[in-house]
Amino acid sequence: MSKVKILALHGPNLNLLGQREPDVYGSMTLEEIDRALEDRGKKLGVSIDSYQSNHEGELVDRIQAAAIDFDGILINPAAFSHYSYALRDALSAAGLPVIEVHLSNVFARETFRHHSVITPVAEGMVCGLGPDSYLLGLEALVNILKKERR
Amino acid sequence: MSKVKILALHGPNLNLLGQREPDVYGSMTLEEIDRALEDRGKKLGVSIDSYQSNHEGELVDRIQAAAIDFDGILINPAAFSHYSYALRDALSAAGLPVIEVHLSNVFARETFRHHSVITPVAEGMVCGLGPDSYLLGLEALVNILKKERR
Amino acid sequence: MSKVKILALHGPNLNLLGQREPDVYGSMTLEEIDRALEDRGKKLGVSIDSYQSNHEGELVDRIQAAAIDFDGILINPAAFSHYSYALRDALSAAGLPVIEVHLSNVFARETFRHHSVITPVAEGMVCGLGPDSYLLGLEALVNILKKERR
Amino acid sequence: MSKVKILALHGPNLNLLGQREPDVYGSMTLEEIDRALEDRGKKLGVSIDSYQSNHEGELVDRIQAAAIDFDGILINPAAFSHYSYALRDALSAAGLPVIEVHLSNVFARETFRHHSVITPVAEGMVCGLGPDSYLLGLEALVNILKKERR
Amino acid sequence: MSKVKILALHGPNLNLLGQREPDVYGSMTLEEIDRALEDRGKKLGVSIDSYQSNHEGELVDRIQAAAIDFDGILINPAAFSHYSYALRDALSAAGLPVIEVHLSNVFARETFRHHSVITPVAEGMVCGLGPDSYLLGLEALVNILKKERR
Amino acid sequence: MSKVKILALHGPNLNLLGQREPDVYGSMTLEEIDRALEDRGKKLGVSIDSYQSNHEGELVDRIQAAAIDFDGILINPAAFSHYSYALRDALSAAGLPVIEVHLSNVFARETFRHHSVITPVAEGMVCGLGPDSYLLGLEALVNILKKERR
Amino acid sequence: MSKVKILALHGPNLNLLGQREPDVYGSMTLEEIDRALEDRGKKLGVSIDSYQSNHEGELVDRIQAAAIDFDGILINPAAFSHYSYALRDALSAAGLPVIEVHLSNVFARETFRHHSVITPVAEGMVCGLGPDSYLLGLEALVNILKKERR
Amino acid sequence: MSKVKILALHGPNLNLLGQREPDVYGSMTLEEIDRALEDRGKKLGVSIDSYQSNHEGELVDRIQAAAIDFDGILINPAAFSHYSYALRDALSAAGLPVIEVHLSNVFARETFRHHSVITPVAEGMVCGLGPDSYLLGLEALVNILKKERR
Amino acid sequence: MSKVKILALHGPNLNLLGQREPDVYGSMTLEEIDRALEDRGKKLGVSIDSYQSNHEGELVDRIQAAAIDFDGILINPAAFSHYSYALRDALSAAGLPVIEVHLSNVFARETFRHHSVITPVAEGMVCGLGPDSYLLGLEALVNILKKERR
Amino acid sequence: MSKVKILALHGPNLNLLGQREPDVYGSMTLEEIDRALEDRGKKLGVSIDSYQSNHEGELVDRIQAAAIDFDGILINPAAFSHYSYALRDALSAAGLPVIEVHLSNVFARETFRHHSVITPVAEGMVCGLGPDSYLLGLEALVNILKKERR
Amino acid sequence: MSKVKILALHGPNLNLLGQREPDVYGSMTLEEIDRALEDRGKKLGVSIDSYQSNHEGELVDRIQAAAIDFDGILINPAAFSHYSYALRDALSAAGLPVIEVHLSNVFARETFRHHSVITPVAEGMVCGLGPDSYLLGLEALVNILKKERR
Amino acid sequence: MSKVKILALHGPNLNLLGQREPDVYGSMTLEEIDRALEDRGKKLGVSIDSYQSNHEGELVDRIQAAAIDFDGILINPAAFSHYSYALRDALSAAGLPVIEVHLSNVFARETFRHHSVITPVAEGMVCGLGPDSYLLGLEALVNILKKERR
């Protein structure tokens, strides 16, 4: 049985992690998060590809490509959560299990952040736990994929 | 008199047509739809250029360029229908007749699909007829252009 | 195989077509539209019966009767689009494919015209193309019926 | 003391009962419901007149006439429930006790069916019980009238 | 110069005037109102035709016919005020000056009575003055017509 | 029996009548309207005092004083219609019959003009008839007062 | 075949029936209603257990227990109708047919009483008929259970 | 340093887990979830107390008591998520880190389940992952507590 | 004449007063507030019973019992203010004068705290004055009861 | 230490107190209320200046002047409560403690009276207690000022 | 050609500038702003009259008078921005170019400050720049007037 | 001290300036605006880089890069104003002062243009002044930066 492959997607401005507004988003950089995901992936026996973009279209392209090579998607849609129906349609079309994650507790911030157009097409959502949102989201995704494989 | 030239634009995720969610979007691929448009175009005596993109900005660029070389626009804005005011402004600025088409009956689906920011700047709209939405939209557009030429 | 029969229904005030507000609704009379539908019907190999009424109840009666003798319904519900749940229920009960058409682009007019209670029970909708809305709607309906017959 | 007379009114499309959408509205025809009402009426010592129309105006006319000859009204306004203020005003003007009934549980269906403009001018409402909605509504109405006579 | 002709239209349930809910609508019957209109019309040098119906379609038919023979319309749309876009479209299509009247002060009653879909296509509106709403509405209409004739 | 006394109140910017935006408000000045009211008052056997102010507080003061010396109030609240609850409370406290008038058809203009906080405490409302709104409003008020005197 | 067993549940403040606000809720006490239910139950060949509580949690506990021993639930959720999603989930989980009843016509009272979170998970609803709401609701429930048993 | 103590709270109807609606909530019982939490707790070096109640007041009492003996709260508020401001205030007053969990993806279900009054006072939220929501929520909570201890 | 008896009710989480969030709710404990109420009661010649509960049902039970033995109710419904229609109905049924109090200025906090379902059935409301809200509320209640006794 | 000085402000139409609508506002005149405030002020050792105006601007002027000479403001904004952001800004700028009072229970009256733009900038609010609203509001204000002085 | 004359209007509470809430409105006084406007006016070759009032009516009066003597209006409507339709109508009637300015960024403050009823009748708006809002607004206004003069 | 550097960003379709819809956006091209900005920049002693894109992602990329090399951002987000939370987050993360400008008065156009998601993270906003919006926005930005440098 081939190794489980997971695509970790990071939405707009997440490349700035660690440098800016650390009180909201923490002091860890995106590279560090990606490395932590990789490490955790190794322990869980899955491989992980990471991709960040500030371009909605590039994320859509990447999701479409993923439908062929990957088994699941871990996504922090960042600001796109609130309006990118294109992203939603891409995830829905991909037909893979999706876990949505957010570093901050979006429900304790500005009203517009309380609504995500992505969650209804995801399996589940994790928010407010900082980098742990990613790591626990990854675990959840791997568990879902393992169940499917059985 | 020069030949009428029409630009057929396809929004995000339409490149996946035929492969995914065929119960909603049908089994025809985008290539097949483009070929059918071309065939119908020949019968109607017009030439057709097709363009698909998952990138809002590329569609805007394409519309701006079209304003010079084309006579009308046939567009399925897909998910962009619901929020891309940039697309709307581009179409409005182009000053060409626009026909908006949708494969599925958007009014019988999720609430967010009931509202298009594009329709108010289009001549008309066709939805729910599968690939026929495109073909009939093309006919409508050609008729409008013929009337203008007279 | 018996000939396909289509009922073309025209809602309130459409009997005034051609005489009033030609800038909104065009200069063609309802009789001319009906004749154009008949002509196009002949080419498509279907027969068409037309019926206009300003009375919601008469349209409901007509739809109920149609369920027995007709294969599809082409309807311009006009003002009834925006509130006639009786018409909606009748169309839904008839169990025939329905195409909704509008002469003008209702989404570019007063807000109350943006919402149709009929569209969710129709196969598709065509608007903004003047008499072409009818003719293309007819083509769409015939295509749907042909597919069903196969 | 003269016999109690009750008018049973059926709104649009209820003449189709038993033939269409039996999963929603049951397999009993309107004739069978009317006969069941008559039978139950006999047991309760009241006479019942039934009337169905797809025309709002005819129902209003019938309610106005009823104000003179009848003692109470049992009404299933069907689709008119959701917008016919004319029906509401007629019932209110009639000054007779009114019971509103619905075959299906309207609150478990489309949102527009959750709101009835009729209920505020009725004594009570019964919904979701199929033909029993009518029979129990009749019992309720007769009980109200008996109390008034005392 | 031919005599000015005015059509006075009465919406649903207004035939009950004087008999029911006199605390809301007054004790004058519709016949008495029509006679008062006629008398006032004579003084103003105009002829008046009256028509009441509980059927939306009949009022639409009447308005369409009026467009040919009459110079202005005085209308109390009653319950139709709140939802009859068919009536609105008919009045708008007729191209005659329209005055809307209401016996009661609709803005001091239930919320649904605060909104009329008719007023935006009328010249003006008079409400809350009992039968005077009609008589003053007539005067206003005659004044408008006189100015136009000049 | 003492002569009926009526207070005619004009809200903010009505002192500009005739000079500005004549396409909306007509070419008659406020002085001319006041004179026309006086003339009509004479015919109706009532005396009329007029008062215009751009100050909400002055209108409230004037209404409070009127409660002692006047029999009825004719008011065009102009822009105050849409937010002056102080004016509403003053009119309500005065305990006199109030007729609200508007020169233009407020329901055919900007949305904010569709809602008046004054109408619920008035007897009736007249709008859209130009200076006739005042004159007919006066007649209505005099009729109400005559009925009360009887 | 074992006897059909029905649980009659009464929400908060219903223990006060007959003593307070008799103009709204009638003069019958809850004990009398329970006795009337028992009597009617005997005639219908079913046994009835009654339970009233002002505690949401106790009603949820009781519903959970009922899922084992009872065949159907007759419930007047009283004030809990408007917000107790816990009650709704309990009823939904119980998997038994549920009939919701209200003594008063909730749709003719304060706006907050127009919305019940319970009705969408009930078979049907009866309101406005005083104690008859319970008795007719019971009949409806028994009929549903009889049909299921067949 | 004393052992970290965590309170796991389960809201209304969660005692039914595994028995009812397994398609929505899975086949694992609450006891099994509690055991899994305990096991995971042992691995993480923390002790866990579990408590379920259908009574809002008992959950509030339990949270108040927890403020003294516990270090963090893991809560699935179930139906109380949507309206229990009492629970929210109790959690907020407790001053302990709180993680909210849901078995199902609440954002893909009925609209009323999309809004939680609890999340704004929690550190984070995990939903849609079945029993994993609890286990990952626990891990997150332990990580937060470890960081605080440092 | 028997001594006036007042029931002071404290809603959920008020037992925590003085210990938690003193910046919002002050440093006085509930016991101290109760003692202050007692002292003030003595000066005013009334006796006071206090009761706090986190259980909505217990508060409803207590209010029902109070209807017999007490003359007035002073209540701080805390979080229940915003959704407990059960509490509202209990207070309304008790038929005693009710004064609602809040320690903090609820209108200067989160939006959900701006709306109380209790106030419409209370005589009056006092908020934002810390423990003074209770003491002044008590004075107000005693004054109301004294007026009634006269 | 100088004597505490309090400004008591009365909004529009409050000069009519005692004369009009005594069922809503009571039979006490504003002079009597002012005297009662003075008396209570003497007992509390504070001096009180009263000021009533129907002019929003005069109240704003008065508040601005008060910022220099006074220690606190007791205000019944009457109708201005619902829209005067100018008053709100003036109170906010004054930087003095403010207590808002209302004679009637505004939450049991028309919907527009449920919202005050003033309360968010006040310390607290008292309503529904007739003249007691003023006297208790005064006590509250004095207590706040005493605490500040300490 | 006569010198361009500009009226600078300051709404309620702006006379307090510099003294209060300097963190929001800056430390410059209104006199200093007026002087800065004058200085800038001199450089631009225009004369400037300033006027501040807390009275809506006085600002309306001033605007009406300005229509005759001035060429443009620079206005900071302050709190009146959010509700003074009287001011809006006055500005609209004046027929002069209007520039609206705000010292603070109103869109980053309370929600009610996000909506101005004035902006739709102004040429443009400048906000958030402190005293620069005035100076740049003045430049803009002068540029508009210069273009018109050409 | 290094020279102040400002980034001027132009959103979608602004590259079309001068060519299309000159009645709305004026006749000046974007190149001319950029040159005017440069000229003004020289006078103010700052250097300006301009960048236009129809791609949201490119603007986000550009803003992120700017955070290192630039001192302030002047942005006309055009259509992105109304939905691009990605742009908002990028501007917010950049930590530079931002001035938002619009050529037209967006508040006098379609409703969707009245709301900008960008303004709350900008220092200020200038709209409706044509190319002057840019030039005055630049001046404002330079003034802010000068104050910071001091």
Side-chain angles (χ1 to χ4, degrees), chain I residues 40 99 104-105 107-108 114 119-129 131-132 136-137 139-140 143-144 147, chain J residues 40 99 104-105 107-108 114 119-129 131-132 136-137 139-140 143-144 147:
Chain I
R40 183 71 55 103
I99 300 290
S104 64
N105 179 351
F107 300 98
H114 299 194
T119 328
V121 301
E123 296 297 313
M125 200 251 269
V126 184
C127 74
L129 309 176
D132 259 15
L136 299 176
E139 270 188 52
N143 287 351
I144 288 166
K147 264 183 229 147
Chain J
R40 184 70 56 102
I99 300 289
S104 64
N105 180 351
F107 300 98
H114 299 195
T119 328
V121 300
E123 297 296 313
M125 198 250 269
V126 184
C127 73
L129 310 175
D132 259 14
L136 299 175
E139 271 189 50
N143 287 350
I144 288 167
K147 266 183 227 144

Side-chain angles (χ1 to χ4, degrees), chain A residues 40 99 105 107-108 119-120 122-129 132 136 139-140 143, chain H residues 40 99 105 107-108 119-120 122-129 132 136 139-140 143:
Chain A
R40 184 69 56 102
I99 300 290
N105 179 350
F107 300 99
T119 328
E123 297 296 313
M125 197 250 269
V126 184
C127 73
L129 310 176
D132 258 14
L136 299 176
E139 271 189 51
N143 286 351
Chain H
R40 184 69 57 103
I99 300 290
N105 180 352
F107 300 99
T119 327
E123 296 297 312
M125 200 252 269
V126 184
C127 74
L129 309 175
D132 259 15
L136 299 175
E139 270 189 52
N143 286 351

Side-chain angles (χ1 to χ4, degrees), chain L residues 44-64:
Chain L
L44 297 164
V46 303
S47 79
I48 292 170
D49 269 32
S50 282
Y51 183 72
Q52 190 275 337
S53 177
N54 296 324
H55 299 243
E56 181 196 43
E58 291 177 1
L59 289 165
V60 172
D61 288 348
R62 197 72 190 79
I63 291 165
Q64 292 189 352

